[in-house]
C-alpha cells in the first residue's frame, strides 16, 4: 500500500486547521479526534569508498480517539527520499510513501487492549522507538534490523498483568502477508510471539520475548530475546540480546546470536556522549562482526537531534563515520 | 465517606501536605499509591476499577504543577518533555489542561472519573481526596 504524496495535503491541513498552541515534538491537535505530526531525518555517511548524503525518512502521522474505547494511528513514510553519492556523482531517491503503521486500538480495560492492523512489533526498546530523532545514535545495531520482523500486520493483545504492579504483556500474532511487503525488513507469512516488560522502579526496567516467524522463502525462525535498561536522566545503560534458531530447507538448522550494550552520559541536558558495543554472529551466512561505536548527541530541543559517530568493525573493512540531523514535528 | 474526607483534610493540615489529588465523590475509589497516580498522569493506565479516568493538569508552570511533577511523577522538566515527545510518536497525548485550580475542582465535581490536583486548603466535602503530596 502506498500513497503518492500525502505529505503536502497533511501539511496544508496542519497549517489551516490547527486550533491549539503548537509545541515542537508534540504534534498538533486539529480537533478532539485528530492529532497530526511527522518527522524527517538526513544522514551523511563517510566510509572507505563512498561518501553519501541521504534525506532518509520523511513521514507524516495522524492519531486520535474515535470514542473512549477506540483509537487509531496512521503513519506514512518515504524511505530514501533523496540520495546523493559524492564519490560517483549519482543521485536519486524515492518519493513513494508507504504505510509504516496503520492500526486501531480497542481498549477494554488496562488489562486487556487489542491492537489490530500494521504496527511496530512490541519487542525490546530499539524496535519500539526506531526513528532517528528518538535514537541516540545515527546507526541501528544489527540486532534490531536482521533478526525479527520489525512490523506486524495482525493483532497484539496487550495490557497490565492483573494484580501486579508495572508488569505488562503482549500476545501478538500474524497469519498473513505484511500490509506492505516492500516496506518490511523480513517479509513473512506467519509471526507469533509473547513479550513481557516490567518496570522495577523509575530508573530500572526490563523485559523479554519469545516468538516464531516463517519468511516468504519458508525459513522458520524461533527466537528468545531479553532487554534491560537503567535511566536516571544523567546516565543511561541499555542492553538487548537475541538468540535465534532457524530451520532452512536446504541444510541443517543454524543459530544466530546478537546483542548490544550501550551507555550514554549526559554532561548537560542537551549534550551526551554515547558508546556502544555490539556483536552479531550468524552461523548460516557465516557473517560475524563486532562493532564499537562512539558517538555524540546534541539536542538543542529534545525533538531536534544532531548526532555524529564513528564505528569500528572487526571485519569487512566497514569502518565508517555517520552524521545525522532529524526533527520530530 | 464524609468522615474519611474530613480526616484526610485534618491529617493534611497536621502533617503539612500542600496539595491534594481529588476525584468525584461519587467515584468508588479509595486512596491511591504514588505509582497509581504516576501511571494515570503518564497515560499508562486509563482506569481505576471499572471507572475510566480523565487526568487533568494545571496549565503553565504554577508551583503546584512543578511540585506534582517532581514529587509525584518523579520527573524533572527535561525528562518529562522527552517522555511526551516519545509518547507523541506512540500516538499518546499528555493529560488535558485546565487554567486554574478552581476549574480543576469544578471539572472534577461535574465529570465522573476526572482526577486533578488542587491546594489542600481547597479540598472540601464536594470532592474526594485520594492522594496528598
Amino acid at each position: 500500500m502506498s500513497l503518492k504524496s500525502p505529505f503536502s495535503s497533511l501539511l496544508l491541513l496542519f497549517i489551516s486547521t490547527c486550533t491549539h498552541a503548537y509545541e515542537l515534538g508534540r504534534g498538533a491537535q486539529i480537533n478532539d479526534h485528530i492529532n497530526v505530526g511527522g518527522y524527517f531525518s538526513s544522514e551523511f555517511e563517510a566510509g572507505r569508498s563512498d561518501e553519501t548524503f541521504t534525506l532518509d525518512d520523511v513521514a507524516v502521522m495522524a492519531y486520535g480517539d474515535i470514542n473512549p474505547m477506540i483509537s487509531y494511528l496512521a503513519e506514512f513514510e518515504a524511505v530514501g527520499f533523496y540520495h546523493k553519492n559524492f564519490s560517483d556523482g549519482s543521485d536519486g531517491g524515492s518519493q513513494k510513501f508507504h504505510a509504516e503503521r496503520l492500526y486501531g486500538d480497542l481498549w477494554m480495560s488496562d488489562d486487556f487492549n487489542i491492537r489490530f492492523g500494521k504496527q511496530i512489533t512490541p519487542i525490546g526498546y530499539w524496535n519500539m522507538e526506531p526513528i532517528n530523532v528518538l535514537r541516540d545514535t545515527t546507526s541501528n545495531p544489527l540486532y534490531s534490523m536482521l533478526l525479527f520482523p520489525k512490523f506486524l500486520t495482525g493483532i497484539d493483545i496487550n495490557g497490565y498483568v492483573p494484580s501486579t504492579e508495572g508488569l505488562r504483556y503482549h500476545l501478538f500474532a500474524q497469519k498473513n502477508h505484511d500490509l506492505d511487503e516492500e516496506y518490511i525488513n523480513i517479509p513473512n507469512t506467519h509471526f507469533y510471539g509473547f513479550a513481557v516488560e516490567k518496570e522495577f522502579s523509575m530508573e530500572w526496567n526490563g523485559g523479554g520475548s519469545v516468538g516464531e516467524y516463517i519468511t516468504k522463502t519458508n525459513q522458520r525462525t524461533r527466537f528468545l530475546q531479553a532487554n534491560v535498561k537503567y535511566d536516571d536522566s544523567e546516565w543511561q545503560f541499555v542492553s538487548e540480546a537475541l538468540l535465534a534458531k532457524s530451520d532452512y530447507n536446504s541444510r541443517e538448522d543454524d543459530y544466530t546470536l546478537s546483542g548490544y550494550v550501550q551507555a550514554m552520559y549526559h554532561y548537560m541536558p542537551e549534550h551526551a556522549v554515547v558508546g556502544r558495543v555490539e556483536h552479531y554472529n550468524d552461523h548460516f551466512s557465516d557473517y560475524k562482526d563486532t562493532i564499537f561505536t562512539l558517538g555524540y548527541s546534541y539536542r538543542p530541543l529534545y525533538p531536534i537531534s544532531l548526532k555524529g559517530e564513528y564505528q569500528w568493525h572487526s571485519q569487512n573493512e566497514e569502518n565508517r563515520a555517520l552524521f545525522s540531523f532529524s526533527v520530530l514535528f | 465517606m464524609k468522615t474519611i474526607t474530613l480526616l484526610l483534610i485534618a491529617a493534611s493540615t497536621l502533617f503539612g501536605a500542600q496539595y491534594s489529588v481529588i476525584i468525584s465523590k461519587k467515584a468508588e475509589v479509595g486512596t491511591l499509591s504514588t505509582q497509581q497516580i504516576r501511571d494515570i498522569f503518564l497515560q499508562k493506565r486509563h482506569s481505576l476499577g471499572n471507572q475510566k479516568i480523565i487526568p487533568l493538569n494545571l496549565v503553565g508552570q504554577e508551583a503546584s504543577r512543578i511540585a506534582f511533577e517532581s514529587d509525584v511523577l518523579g520527573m524533572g522538566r527535561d525528562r518529562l518533555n522527552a517522555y511526551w515527545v516519545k509518547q507523541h510518536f506512540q500516538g499518546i497525548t499528555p493529560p488535558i489542561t485546565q487554567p486554574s485550580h478552581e476549574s480543576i475542582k469544578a471539572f472534577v465535581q461535574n465529570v465522573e472519573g476526572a482526577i486533578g490536583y488542587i491546594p489542600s486548603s481547597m479540598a472540601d466535602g464536594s470532592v474526594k481526596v485520594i492522594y496528598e503530596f
Side-chain angles (χ1 to χ4, degrees):
Chain A
M1 184 176 179
S2 63
L3 293 180
K4 277 291 176 193
S5 182
F7 185 73
S8 53
S9 52
L10 202 59
L11 190 65
L12 275 174
L13 181 71
F14 173 84
I15 292 167
S16 61
T17 61
C18 178
T19 56
H20 292 71
Y22 174 72
E23 195 173 342
L24 188 67
R26 302 279 190 95
Q29 185 178 9
I30 303 297
N31 59 39
D32 287 346
H33 308 292
I34 304 174
N35 298 276
V36 297
Y39 58 88
F40 77 87
S41 68
S42 56
E43 294 181 17
F44 177 78
E45 177 176 341
R48 281 185 176 252
S49 56
D50 282 330
E51 289 187 351
T52 60
F53 169 81
T54 308
L55 180 56
D56 198 18
D57 304 325
V58 178
V60 291
M61 55 190 279
Y63 60 88
D65 297 332
I66 294 169
N67 63 41
M69 288 182 67
I70 299 173
S71 58
Y72 69 92
L73 187 146
E75 179 188 351
F76 297 94
E77 182 180 31
V79 176
F81 196 82
Y82 173 75
H83 182 79
K84 171 83 176 176
N85 188 321
F86 296 104
S87 304
D88 62 15
S90 64
D91 63 359
S94 169
Q95 289 77 49
K96 187 177 175 184
F97 278 75
H98 297 265
E100 170 132 329
R101 293 182 289 172
L102 194 59
Y103 63 75
D105 274 307
L106 177 60
W107 183 90
M108 308 296 286
S109 73
D110 286 337
D111 305 334
F112 192 78
N113 179 66
I114 301 172
R115 178 165 290 180
F116 52 95
K118 182 167 182 179
Q119 55 196 281
I120 292 173
T121 307
I123 292 177
Y125 306 119
W126 207 282
N127 198 55
M128 297 294 284
E129 290 171 357
I131 61 174
N132 182 304
V133 66
L134 297 182
R135 304 195 304 256
D136 298 307
T137 59
T138 300
S139 63
N140 294 293
L142 295 174
Y143 151 91
S144 69
M145 298 191 296
L146 304 175
L147 295 173
F148 56 86
K150 293 160 71 171
F151 297 103
L152 174 81
T153 302
I155 64 165
D156 169 30
I157 298 170
N158 63 82
Y160 283 93
V161 177
S163 305
T164 64
E165 204 163 81
L167 179 62
R168 289 185 58 85
Y169 72 94
H170 293 269
L171 186 61
F172 55 90
Q174 168 179 339
K175 196 175 189 304
N176 43 262
H177 291 248
D178 190 83
L179 182 67
D180 188 344
E181 292 195 317
E182 275 184 56
Y183 192 77
I184 186 168
N185 59 333
I186 303 174
N188 65 92
T189 55
H190 298 69
F191 187 16
Y192 307 100
F194 178 70
V196 291
E197 54 194 80
K198 168 73 177 169
E199 196 175 281
F200 300 106
S201 68
M202 282 294 290
E203 289 80 25
W204 282 100
N205 63 71
S209 59
V210 293
E212 176 186 284
Y213 60 88
I214 301 173
T215 67
K216 281 181 75 178
T217 54
N218 247 359
Q219 168 197 323
R220 179 193 296 267
T221 298
R222 291 170 181 155
F223 64 84
L224 180 66
Q225 176 271 348
N227 50 276
V228 65
K229 181 194 270 186
Y230 172 84
D231 188 348
D232 67 7
S233 295
E234 188 177 10
W235 283 96
Q236 185 192 77
F237 298 95
V238 186
S239 183
E240 298 187 70
L242 189 146
L243 176 66
K245 180 191 176 194
S246 296
D247 305 340
Y248 300 93
N249 291 330
S250 55
R251 51 178 286 184
E252 288 183 2
D253 304 351
D254 257 324
Y255 287 91
T256 305
L257 174 65
S258 182
Y260 72 88
V261 179
Q262 178 174 291
M264 178 168 65
Y265 174 63
H266 278 100
Y267 66 92
M268 290 173 68
E270 300 87 2
H271 298 266
V273 179
V274 188
R276 184 174 68 226
V277 58
E278 58 176 293
H279 181 69
Y280 185 87
N281 189 352
D282 182 346
H283 290 270
F284 176 66
S285 61
D286 202 24
Y287 182 77
K288 185 177 180 181
D289 201 357
T290 299
I291 307 165
F292 294 94
T293 301
L294 188 61
Y296 190 87
S297 168
Y298 171 55
R299 294 178 185 272
L301 297 169
Y302 192 84
I304 300 175
S305 174
L306 285 150
K307 295 188 280 278
E309 69 184 63
Y310 194 82
Q311 293 185 348
W312 292 267
H313 291 249
S314 64
Q315 287 191 11
N316 302 328
E317 298 189 333
E318 289 180 354
N319 293 359
R320 57 183 179 154
L322 292 164
F323 303 91
S324 65
F325 170 63
S326 50
V327 180
L328 179 68
F329 298 100
Chain B
M1 191 54 69
K2 195 172 181 179
T3 312
I4 294 171
T5 304
L6 289 172
L7 280 172
L8 278 169
I9 293 168
S12 73
T13 308
L14 280 174
F15 297 107
Q18 279 190 289
Y19 302 103
S20 299
V21 178
I22 56 169
I23 195 167
S24 164
K25 63 180 184 179
K26 292 180 193 166
E28 295 176 3
V29 175
T31 306
L32 301 188
S33 67
T34 306
Q35 180 74 46
Q36 285 176 300
I37 299 281
R38 185 184 297 140
D39 286 350
I40 289 167
F41 277 84
L42 294 179
Q43 301 279 35
K44 293 180 176 180
R45 286 186 183 268
H46 306 285
S47 67
L48 287 169
N50 294 323
Q51 178 68 60
K52 185 95 177 183
I53 296 298
I54 305 167
L56 306 170
N57 236 340
L58 187 64
V59 76
Q61 290 300 300
E62 295 289 330
S64 63
R65 180 165 177 172
I66 292 169
F68 181 75
E69 290 174 352
S70 63
D71 298 351
V72 183
L73 302 186
M75 299 166 91
R77 183 37 55 132
D78 289 333
R79 189 171 186 182
L80 200 55
N81 185 46
Y83 175 82
W84 287 118
V85 168
K86 290 178 178 179
Q87 294 309 301
H88 164 51
F89 177 70
Q90 305 293 347
I92 297 169
T93 53
I96 56 174
T97 53
Q98 290 294 305
S100 65
H101 291 125
E102 287 75 16
S103 57
I104 287 179
K105 186 177 175 185
F107 199 113
V108 168
Q109 285 170 329
N110 293 308
V111 179
E112 206 168 335
I115 175 173
Y117 49 87
I118 58 173
S120 295
S121 57
M122 287 176 63
D124 55 28
S126 67
V127 292
K128 185 189 289 186
V129 175
I130 52 174
Y131 185 84
E132 291 180 307
F133 60 100

